[in-house]
Amino acid sequence: MSISPVDIDIVRDTAVTITFEDDVVCTFPVASLRAACPCAGCQGLRERGEIAWPRPGQGHDISVVHAELNGAWGLSIEWSDGHNTGIYAWTVLRGWCDGGAR
Ligand SMILES: [Zn+2]
């Protein structure tokens, strides 16, 4: 199943709000998005039972430096800690939302 967003609102230090084409609105706090980064590096950390973010010695302050559409299927986010390899697929975001993460 694919679902597309019709509106994306980014408040850099607070939350990303996505309105999907079926009128479902999902708000994701930026810290939650950063901690759940879907890139291979962060997934590897989580698979080893480590916390992907914040890493030891890192602060908890995080904000979106830059975000752009990655083709039709997701959102690339560059974070204030320099991390920029995560691509958040719409289907994944929607799944988090439907799973109660909104
Ligand atoms: Zn990552």
Side-chain angles (χ1 to χ4, degrees), residues 7-89:
D7 188 52
I8 303 164
D9 181 49
I10 298 173
V11 182
R12 292 179 183 279
D13 61 353
T14 306
V16 175
T17 299
I18 299 171
T19 304
F20 288 95
E21 57 193 347
D22 57 355
D23 292 331
V24 171
V25 179
C26 302
T27 298
F28 304 96
V30 289
S32 300
L33 283 178
R34 178 64 187 88
C37 176
C39 83
C42 292
Q43 279 189 13
L45 288 169
R46 285 194 292 270
E47 283 168 10
R48 292 199 297 274
E50 297 184 37
I51 295 168
W53 180 88
R55 300 297 297 156
Q58 275 188 332
H60 285 69
D61 289 336
I62 194 77
S63 60
V64 176
V65 174
H66 182 72
E68 64 182 32
L69 296 181
N70 193 281
W73 64 274
L75 188 69
S76 289
I77 299 179
E78 180 181 342
W79 297 101
S80 57
D81 64 355
H83 197 67
N84 64 359
T85 46
I87 301 169
Y88 296 77

